[in-house]
Amino acid sequence: MGKKVFVGVDGCRAGWFAVFLATKNEKSCDWEVELFPEFSCLVDFLKNNYGQADPLILIDIPIGLKAGGNGERLSDTGARSVLKARKSSIFPVPCREAIYAETYEKACDVNEKLTGKRISKQAWNIVPKIRDIDSFLIENENFREKVREVGPEICFQSFAGFPMKYSKKKVEGFLERKKALGSICTFSDEVIEYALSKYRRKDLAKDDIVDALAAALTAKIGSEHGFVYVPREPETDDKGLQIQLLYCECEEVGNRENAESNVKMSQSKKKH
């Protein structure tokens, strides 16, 4: 296996938090974590530090935007059907024109006109992040296959074999997600504790860390054993971006131990 780097990314107050898992073979896995103010800074870091590696970036942000119409993105409706609980973590994504509106009020008016629905505050709060990824992928076609959308709640459900019981914002929710990560990765606690000590909570929340690590591990396991795509055949938006979410189903790797050992047998080492 050639050198590969699997990157899990989640939005945070300071920008984007990323977990990098670099592999040279099945027995070696180096990791590091970083914060970036913009997605283009993450890509520059990737080029400068992992220039010879083949990257796959899984990010918890909508990729591909509808122009209008009554129906939601098929990736969102499909993701809710996969989730056995916590379906509200997948919320309706505004149309492209609404995403680029100047104010929340204008975005609501535009979205209502084009889709028949207004925008939730939850969706509006991540609009700057959606714009960041959308504009980057429109301008950088060569990264469209390397940057894919992921849903962390589906990842945790897959790792644990059952849906998470508590909100990720609660202490119990953080701990159950941390346990799910530990069930497939021996060094997950080390990554989490290092990130908690390196960054302040005003810049990076606990749940941002576990979400990004879940995405990175999904990228690694899925690349080696196969992904599940939602929907199976992607929609394509008016800018040529694919609308499709992916995850790995650990129980379909052959048996659960195969997926777990793939990460558990790795010799973890933090890059400095």
Side-chain angles (χ1 to χ4, degrees):
M1 182 175 70
K3 187 174 183 180
K4 297 179 181 293
V5 58
F6 305 104
V7 189
V9 186
D10 193 48
C12 63
R13 296 184 188 96
W16 297 103
F17 173 70
V19 176
F20 297 81
L21 301 178
T23 62
K24 293 181 180 179
N25 53 63
E26 292 186 359
K27 299 291 184 180
S28 173
C29 184
D30 295 344
W31 63 266
E32 66 179 319
V33 300
E34 291 291 342
L35 265 179
F36 304 95
E38 297 178 352
F39 188 74
S40 60
C41 299
L42 185 156
V43 173
D44 289 341
F45 178 88
L46 192 63
K47 292 177 179 177
N48 292 333
N49 293 273
Y50 299 94
Q52 302 303 312
D54 183 23
L56 175 61
I57 304 169
L58 297 192
I59 186 167
D60 180 23
I61 203 73
I63 295 176
L65 303 170
K66 298 193 71 171
N70 294 328
E72 288 188 61
R73 304 188 315 159
L74 294 181
S75 57
D76 297 328
T77 56
R80 291 191 202 103
S81 69
V82 171
L83 279 172
K84 298 174 183 177
R86 318 215 68 78
K87 297 177 185 288
S88 62
S89 66
I90 310 292
F91 51 86
V93 177
C95 66
R96 171 166 276 109
E97 188 175 339
I99 288 293
Y100 286 93
E102 295 178 356
T103 66
Y104 174 64
E105 290 73 19
K106 290 181 180 179
C108 282
D109 291 343
V110 168
N111 208 69
E112 186 173 28
K113 178 181 177 181
L114 296 177
T115 72
K117 296 182 179 180
R118 296 179 72 79
I119 298 173
S120 68
K121 277 289 188 179
Q122 183 183 20
W124 179 251
N125 288 339
I126 67 166
V127 158
K129 298 284 194 300
I130 299 176
R131 289 175 185 163
D132 189 13
I133 297 299
D134 186 60
S135 59
F136 177 86
L137 292 177
I138 290 173
E139 297 171 4
N140 297 271
E141 291 187 32
N142 59 316
F143 267 88
R144 293 182 183 180
E145 289 299 320
K146 300 173 183 177
V147 181
R148 305 298 301 271
E149 182 178 346
V150 71
E153 287 303 302
I154 297 178
C155 299
F156 291 120
Q157 177 178 285
S158 178
F159 295 161
F162 50 83
M164 298 294 97
K165 183 177 179 180
Y166 300 99
S167 165
K168 65 182 183 179
K169 297 294 184 183
K170 293 185 177 181
V171 173
E172 298 91 341
F174 171 73
L175 292 176
E176 68 177 344
R177 286 162 180 78
K178 190 168 177 278
K179 182 178 179 180
L181 293 168
S183 72
I184 63 160
C185 177
T186 55
F187 54 88
S188 62
D189 284 358
E190 185 182 355
V191 176
I192 294 167
E193 292 306 318
Y194 180 76
L196 286 171
S197 65
K198 184 177 181 180
Y199 302 108
R200 296 173 293 183
R201 297 294 74 75
K202 76 180 189 66
D203 295 324
L204 179 67
K206 289 182 177 181
D207 56 282
D208 300 328
I209 299 171
V210 294
D211 281 356
L213 181 53
L217 291 170
T218 295
K220 184 179 188 300
I221 296 172
S223 292
E224 295 164 356
H225 296 285
F227 289 106
V228 180
Y229 297 92
V230 183
R232 185 180 298 273
E233 296 297 328
E235 297 179 283
T236 302
D237 74 7
D238 58 2
K239 298 296 184 180
L241 304 185
Q242 289 189 350
I243 306 177
Q244 187 181 54
L245 179 146
L246 52 80
Y247 68 100
C248 64
E249 184 54 79
C250 290
E251 293 178 353
E252 294 181 1
V253 171
N255 58 62
R256 191 170 180 81
E257 286 71 28
N258 286 342
E260 295 171 353
S261 65
N262 200 358
V263 182
K264 282 189 172 181
M265 289 175 66
S266 299
Q267 297 297 312
S268 65
K269 180 176 65 176
K270 181 172 78 269
K271 289 184 64 178
H272 296 282

